[in-house]
Amino acid sequence: AIRPEHRTRPMEEASRKRPRNDDGDDGAEGALVEAQPLAVMPKLAHERDPEERTSKLQAPTVLLTGHESAVYSVSFSPTGKALASCSMDRTVLLWDVYGENRNYNILRGHRNAVLQVHWLADGRNLATASADKTVGIWDGVKGRRVMRLAEHEGVVNGCGVGGSEAPSMVVSGSDDCSVILWDTRQKESAASFFHRYQVTAVCLHPSGSHVFAAGIDNDVLQWDVRSESEPVMRLTGHADTVTGLALSHSASHLLSNAMDHTLRRWDVRPYVSEGQSRCVNAYAGAAHGPEKSLLRCSWSNDDTFVSCGSADRVVHLWEAATGQLAYHLPGHSGTVTDVAFHPDEPVIASCGSDKNIYLGELGV
């Protein structure tokens, strides 16, 4: 592994404008890059003595560098031992979460920006959504693409994966106004759903039974995968494009982040009391900038906290039940595009248009 050269450059905007298609190479060849524990960084929690550490991270705050352009998405593996990040530079980097935080693999093959990445439930394979109009399935151990899913006719803005009950299922949403459900055990799509407008965010029920999608019409739609007809639920309330969706681990509530500067929590259980609004909370504080980035959202492993990307360069964490702001974490020098929670420990990962990824330890 080699350490990348560090130079001061103007911050790159995480814009929805796509770079022109350019040929890229398959495989995982190339120099690897290293992580840097920071000696001085804004604390993710109150300053603590070493014996008060709450995680097994090498340091309370760790900076991972290596991407050559804006980083759009991060995802912890199901075991929490690895982290994946994807970027406008067309690559996916795989990192060790513990120890020296080495970058142990680079996944190359997409011919345009990689907009979202998720680990599949098997902990070995990953799914990616790209502006090159394809969905990629990757073997994270061998470092190569094993499937290139190319049924979309427009930019693929996002992807989602099933849980342990549906470990082979992947969903994707595109500018071609379609939502496609894939079974990685077969070459062709399993089902397709059609939206009236461009789809900017998707997620999948852990059992693979329902698909959620949202786009530039500001609404969130839910489909039953057993029927490819009309949506079974429509959630209205946002006043601008929805850029991120995330289902709680209990599968009872849905998060949606939108360009109206709100993060909302919806009750998506089959039945609610008559007259009760499905919008349970609207979390205020995060912001979207004029670059119109696709800012994602996420839940903590116990559904206690929620978070989302923000253009104000700060990571915001709220208590899910009360809506109270629990953490206000500076550090990024550009738009925060995504935040992910560790599956076992009080640790978060964040990425941004500043090309950086931070691992941070939270207080208990």
Side-chain angles (χ1 to χ4, degrees):
I2 64 172
R3 184 179 300 278
E5 181 181 0
H6 296 283
R7 298 190 297 272
T8 302
R9 301 179 182 177
M11 184 187 76
E12 293 191 31
E13 292 185 346
S15 174
R16 288 204 60 210
K17 294 182 179 179
R18 316 297 180 189
R20 292 179 296 176
N21 284 336
D22 189 13
D23 290 339
D25 297 325
D26 287 324
E29 304 296 332
L32 302 185
V33 293
E34 295 183 354
Q36 306 170 50
L38 294 186
V40 179
M41 266 293 296
K43 296 297 183 181
L44 294 186
H46 296 294
E47 189 169 341
R48 297 183 295 269
D49 295 329
E51 59 268 20
E52 296 177 333
R53 292 285 306 278
T54 60
S55 78
K56 299 176 184 176
L57 287 180
Q58 182 185 21
T61 305
V62 178
L63 169 63
L64 309 179
T65 61
H67 280 294
E68 298 177 356
S69 191
V71 187
Y72 288 137
S73 176
V74 285
S75 176
F76 283 106
S77 66
T79 63
K81 295 180 179 180
L83 180 79
S85 59
C86 67
S87 169
M88 184 185 280
D89 65 13
R90 303 178 296 175
T91 67
V92 177
L93 302 186
L94 304 183
W95 310 84
D96 284 331
V97 172
Y98 301 113
E100 296 299 317
N101 306 107
R102 67 188 178 100
N103 167 221
Y104 67 87
N105 228 327
I106 299 179
L107 308 182
R108 287 193 173 96
H110 279 300
R111 298 186 176 186
N112 209 326
V114 188
L115 302 178
Q116 195 163 23
V117 62
H118 284 290
W119 289 87
L120 271 65
D122 61 12
R124 179 187 179 108
N125 296 305
L126 302 95
T128 54
S130 174
D132 66 6
K133 306 179 184 180
T134 70
V135 176
I137 305 299
W138 308 80
D139 186 322
V141 176
K142 295 183 178 179
R144 64 183 181 88
R145 184 166 55 187
V146 295
M147 297 185 75
R148 181 177 180 271
L149 308 174
E151 293 185 24
H152 282 295
E153 297 179 355
V155 170
V156 184
N157 290 309
C159 63
V161 298
S164 57
E165 300 173 60
S168 64
M169 305 305 293
V170 176
V171 66
S172 57
S174 169
D175 277 352
D176 64 9
C177 306
S178 71
V179 178
I180 298 181
L181 183 66
W182 311 89
D183 187 333
T184 57
R185 298 169 295 184
Q186 60 190 44
K187 294 182 179 180
E188 298 181 350
S189 60
S192 296
F193 310 91
F194 297 96
H195 200 291
R196 293 180 59 190
Y197 302 95
Q198 292 94 323
V199 178
T200 52
V202 292
C203 70
L204 185 61
H205 192 282
S207 67
S209 61
H210 291 84
V211 168
F212 298 87
I216 65 172
D217 66 341
N218 315 338
D219 295 344
V220 180
L221 304 181
Q222 177 187 2
W223 284 273
D224 187 327
V225 302
R226 295 167 294 184
S227 172
E228 297 182 41
S229 57
E230 294 299 312
V232 296
M233 186 184 300
R234 179 184 293 268
L235 304 174
T236 61
H238 279 298
D240 207 338
T241 300
V242 179
T243 62
L245 293 175
L247 196 61
S248 66
H249 296 83
S250 65
S252 61
H253 290 81
L254 180 76
L255 279 182
S256 59
N257 189 20
M259 293 183 185
D260 61 4
H261 311 294
T262 65
L263 175 68
R264 292 175 181 259
R265 179 167 70 104
W266 309 86
D267 188 337
V268 293
R269 290 173 292 187
Y271 303 102
V272 296
S273 302
E274 185 176 354
Q276 179 181 342
S277 172
R278 286 191 176 271
C279 183
V280 181
N281 291 95
Y283 308 94
H288 281 251
E291 67 274 13
K292 302 294 185 182
S293 302
L294 295 178
L295 308 184
R296 312 302 184 176
C297 52
S298 60
W299 296 81
S300 64
N301 60 339
D302 59 359
D303 294 338
T304 300
F305 296 103
V306 297
S307 186
C308 67
S310 180
D312 63 1
R313 308 179 184 184
V314 171
V315 175
H316 302 262
L317 273 71
W318 296 268
E319 293 181 358
T322 66
Q324 180 179 349
L325 185 65
Y327 291 90
H328 182 271
L329 312 174
H332 282 282
S333 59
T335 295
V336 180
T337 51
D338 194 12
V339 179
F341 289 85
H342 192 279
D344 297 316
E345 293 196 307
V347 168
I348 60 168
S350 62
C351 62
S353 63
D354 58 3
K355 312 176 192 177
N356 293 332
I357 303 159
Y358 288 107
L359 295 176
E361 179 181 286
L362 300 174
V364 294

